[in-house]
């Protein structure tokens, strides 16, 4: 039975603390989220961008990139075909 299902050792667990942990920053962020839930609008760095992203979610950029790459490759192939045919 051990030939079909060999014993596999488990991966070691990693216990680490973040290198740049700032408890004061975490406390401020928590207070900010509490205040934000109490008030409708609050300004902080990136708040306009966050509001825009909530209102207009971004489309799949990988899909757009692959679509552009397809059209560029097709254009290059057509240019080469016309060049060699003429």
């Amino acid at each position: 039975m051990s030939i079909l299902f060999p014993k596999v050792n488990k991966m070691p667990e990693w216990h680490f603390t973040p290198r740049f942990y700032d408890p004061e920053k975490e406390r401020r962020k928590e207070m900010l989220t509490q205040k934000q839930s109490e008030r409708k609008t609050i300004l902080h760095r990136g708040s306009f961008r966050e509001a825009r992203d909530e209102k207009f979610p971004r489309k799949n950029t990988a899909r757009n990139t692959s679509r552009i790459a397809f059209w560029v490759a097709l254009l290059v192939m057509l240019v080469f075909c016309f060049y060699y045919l003429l």
Side-chain angles (χ1 to χ4, degrees):
M1 206 56 181
S2 65
I3 294 174
L4 295 176
F5 300 105
K7 183 178 179 182
V8 178
N9 294 333
K10 290 185 178 181
M11 292 290 293
E13 293 184 16
W14 296 90
H15 300 287
F16 66 95
T17 56
R19 187 181 241 178
F20 301 107
Y21 177 71
D22 187 10
E24 182 64 27
K25 183 177 178 182
E26 293 292 326
R27 187 184 65 77
R28 278 186 273 138
K29 186 185 271 187
E30 186 177 312
M31 288 178 58
L32 184 67
T33 56
Q34 282 180 343
K35 286 182 182 178
Q36 196 170 17
S37 65
E38 293 171 4
R39 291 193 299 176
K40 200 74 163 162
T41 58
I42 187 166
L43 296 178
H44 63 278
R45 176 174 275 190
S47 62
F48 291 122
R49 186 180 306 126
E50 290 170 1
R52 181 198 65 207
D53 289 343
E54 286 178 5
K55 193 170 185 180
F56 305 107
R58 294 183 180 203
K59 295 180 179 150
N60 190 355
T61 56
R63 183 176 177 187
N64 292 340
T65 306
S66 64
R67 186 176 293 155
I68 290 171
F70 168 76
W71 287 111
V72 168
L74 184 66
L75 181 68
V76 168
M77 288 178 13
L78 287 174
V79 167
F80 281 123
C81 286
F82 284 124
Y83 178 75
Y84 284 114
L85 288 177
L86 295 176

